[in-house]
Amino acid sequence: MSPFTKNSEVTSLILDSLPMGVLFCDMDGVIRFVNKAYADLLGQRPEELLGRDITEIIPHSRARVVLRDGRAEMGELCQLGPGNALPVIVNRIPVRDGQGRLAGMVSQAIFNDPEELKKLSSKIDHLGHTLNQYKRRIKASLSPQYSLRSILGESAPMRRLKQQVQSYAQLDAPVLILGATGAGKELFAHALHAESPRAEGPLVSINCAAIPKDLFESELFGYARGAFSGAHQDGKIGQIELADKGTLFLDEIGEMPPEIQAKLLRVLESRSICRVGSVNARNVDFRLVAATNRNISAMLSAGSFREDLYYRINTFVLEIPPLRDRADDILPIARYVLSRMGLEHLTFSPEAEAAMLAFSWPGNVRQLHNAVVHAATMRHGDLIEVDDFPPDTLPSADLPLRTVAAGDLSDIMADTEAVVIRKVLAEQGGNVSRTARTLHIARATLYEKLRKYGISRR
């Protein structure tokens, strides 16, 4: 049999056991309950306080203000006892009955020792500092590392692309970035995010080619607690969910498995995801940027990429031209690489510059960067020669370049262009159409250059 016969006895026992003070007064400000901790703060026994007006005990009490306005007052510093009593933190909370009518007020004294308050405040400050550190680290890892200024090149194609980035960035529709390996697709994705209204949100980058097929779903969508054997006991947030209020960059999206393509399409349509092993949908708000070096048209024909997903992700397209189609950018990029190495004093010989301009750079900017680093490391003196470059990058024997005397860059480029056109035209047996296709230029452009350099089709 319970030792208590009434609920009020249980309530009183519980409230008297609390280390904090609790006092209740009715609508007239008369004290109807006070626990031992609160009575101790007032320097009296509980039975001496019951039935008395609260302002008689605490002359400066704001109880009547709370009873009049019905609004709580939280975290107020108050001196409850005699003149030399220690201040305490008080919460004044209005109490309502079952019909929502105001029935009284509870005064809750949280601390009766300032040292406890100082210790708690110190702990809160420490936790806040630690939390801010983690927030800064997370934000740094999910912030764009590059901007438009990071994209080198002032050739006409690059200027057009940068203008496109600025325009597309202001819109929230998906962007598909096309370009060969090493062309700089990731830089453009970062620039799109940095220039967009979502710049303060996260940028989550996923390389679809680097995720094992059996981990793809849990990596993108996350998983619930106990979703599968070996899963973390607290579950895991997915990369898509992590991109909420920001940008999701799916690099090499052409490598995404077909079954994941279908699920990504549903996410784009519903703007919500379900973690693996969960039926609860979570809303997500992100801007999608995708990139690939694959021939998407061929993949559509082969059925390896979903047509409906393709039309979802290519609202806007950025096509990055290969380095061979923007020769004006080659030497500025090469010199920039030297400056980043702290080797601005080095120069390229005219032959090296001509060879760089003539080379096709199948690995694009990445290959040029690596080649210049190699050459700068292997050079003798302050002049970088053709032989300082990796042998498979600028094979001098492969292209019959004649020595170019030092002169204006335009003269060097013109001389190199003429040599390349003669070589390719000879390889194609004088066929202008095939030569133009090989050089990735229009036939009319090629005819103009043949006349300019006095090159015979024979």
Side-chain angles (χ1 to χ4, degrees):
M1 183 174 178
S2 173
F4 306 110
T5 58
K6 297 180 180 179
N7 287 337
S8 60
E9 294 180 6
V10 179
T11 303
S12 296
L13 181 65
I14 293 173
L15 293 175
D16 276 333
S17 301
L18 294 176
M20 66 181 68
V22 178
L23 176 148
F24 171 76
C25 63
D26 61 18
M27 289 298 295
D28 296 322
V30 176
I31 299 173
R32 298 301 180 187
F33 174 85
V34 60
N35 72 349
K36 187 176 183 305
Y38 208 112
D40 289 343
L41 289 172
L42 296 171
Q44 301 188 49
R45 293 178 298 170
E47 57 269 23
E48 294 174 343
L49 298 170
L50 294 176
R52 296 170 66 180
D53 192 292
I54 191 169
T55 56
E56 180 186 343
I57 309 301
I58 311 172
H60 53 278
S61 172
R62 290 182 53 82
R64 296 196 183 279
V65 177
V66 175
L67 292 169
R68 181 193 69 207
D69 298 339
R71 288 196 296 267
E73 295 181 350
M74 309 297 289
E76 299 288 339
L77 190 64
C78 181
Q79 189 174 17
L80 295 180
N84 61 351
L86 296 173
V88 296
I89 301 296
V90 173
N91 294 330
R92 304 182 187 94
I93 307 167
V95 176
R96 299 182 184 276
D97 61 18
Q99 282 72 45
R101 294 172 301 196
L102 202 58
M105 180 209 74
V106 167
S107 178
Q108 180 185 38
I110 302 176
F111 293 101
N112 59 4
D113 183 356
E115 290 304 316
E116 293 181 34
L117 182 58
K118 288 180 182 178
K119 289 178 183 177
L120 179 62
S121 177
S122 177
K123 287 181 181 178
I124 292 173
D125 287 344
H126 176 70
L127 289 173
H129 179 69
T130 304
L131 180 61
N132 287 333
Q133 281 187 321
Y134 282 121
K135 283 182 177 179
R136 284 194 294 270
R137 290 177 186 175
I138 291 172
K139 185 174 182 180
S141 66
L142 298 178
S143 296
Q145 306 300 311
Y146 312 106
S147 64
L148 272 179
R149 292 186 296 275
S150 306
I151 301 175
L152 303 177
E154 291 301 325
S155 61
M158 291 302 286
R159 288 199 301 271
R160 284 194 298 270
L161 272 176
K162 291 179 182 180
Q163 291 171 355
Q164 282 182 283
V165 168
Q166 290 177 318
S167 299
Y168 294 170
Q170 303 311 310
L171 308 171
D172 219 32
V175 177
L176 178 61
I177 303 175
L178 303 177
T181 299
K185 298 186 291 295
E186 184 178 5
L187 269 69
F188 279 92
H190 281 241
L192 276 166
H193 177 76
E195 294 288 324
S196 76
R198 294 178 178 268
E200 292 301 314
L203 170 63
V204 178
S205 300
I206 305 171
N207 188 332
C208 297
I211 303 176
K213 186 175 180 180
D214 56 344
L215 297 180
F216 228 112
E217 186 174 11
S218 62
E219 188 69 23
L220 257 64
F221 302 101
Y223 56 80
R225 179 178 182 178
F228 49 84
S229 177
H232 193 279
Q233 61 177 359
D234 295 326
K236 178 186 175 183
I237 186 172
Q239 298 294 307
I240 294 178
E241 198 174 339
L242 199 60
D244 190 42
K245 302 295 185 295
T247 301
L248 177 68
F249 174 45
L250 295 179
D251 197 9
E252 305 301 347
I253 194 172
E255 307 299 328
M256 181 178 286
E259 62 272 17
I260 304 299
Q261 293 178 29
K263 293 186 176 183
L264 174 61
L265 179 63
R266 285 199 295 272
V267 171
L268 295 176
E269 290 173 343
S270 66
R271 290 293 169 177
S272 64
I273 65 164
C274 282
R275 294 184 182 180
V276 177
S278 173
V279 294
N280 297 321
R282 300 167 183 262
N283 293 330
V284 285
D285 172 25
F286 62 90
R287 198 262 183 93
L288 178 67
V289 177
T292 184
N293 63 357
R294 301 279 298 275
N295 186 330
I296 291 288
S297 298
M299 295 181 69
L300 292 172
S301 300
S304 57
F305 199 88
R306 293 181 63 99
E307 189 173 356
D308 45 7
L309 177 59
Y310 172 69
Y311 290 118
R312 267 281 181 180
I313 66 175
N314 80 331
T315 305
F316 297 109
V317 176
L318 282 176
E319 189 162 0
I320 306 174
L323 193 55
R324 65 174 178 270
D325 288 350
R326 45 189 180 98
D328 291 351
D329 294 331
I330 293 175
L331 295 183
I333 292 174
R335 295 187 184 109
Y336 175 78
V337 174
L338 291 180
S339 69
R340 288 295 301 270
M341 297 175 67
L343 300 174
E344 298 94 332
H345 62 285
L346 298 185
T347 57
F348 297 99
S349 70
E351 292 81 6
E353 290 187 346
M356 282 191 287
L357 292 171
F359 190 61
S360 61
W361 299 109
N364 292 291
V365 177
R366 187 178 300 141
Q367 184 184 18
L368 174 60
H369 173 276
N370 294 340
V372 171
V373 171
H374 182 280
T377 305
M378 301 302 295
R379 99 282 178 192
H380 299 284
D382 291 342
L383 189 65
I384 298 177
E385 302 283 1
V386 174
D387 291 342
D388 295 326
F389 285 85
D392 59 344
T393 302
L394 299 181
S396 55
D398 180 60
L399 191 64
L401 293 173
R402 59 186 175 83
T403 301
V404 182
D408 293 339
L409 174 61
S410 58
D411 295 336
I412 297 172
M413 292 178 63
D415 184 271
T416 303
E417 188 175 50
V419 171
V420 172
I421 290 174
R422 286 193 181 94
K423 179 177 183 295
V424 176
L425 187 63
E427 290 174 349
Q428 300 300 329
N431 188 298
V432 173
S433 296
R434 288 201 300 269
T435 301
R437 283 197 298 272
T438 302
L439 295 172
H440 299 279
I441 59 176
R443 279 204 319 163
T445 303
L446 180 57
Y447 276 119
E448 181 182 341
K449 292 182 183 296
L450 292 176
R451 287 193 298 271
K452 176 181 177 180
Y453 299 125
I455 299 173
S456 169
R457 292 170 56 188
R458 295 184 297 275

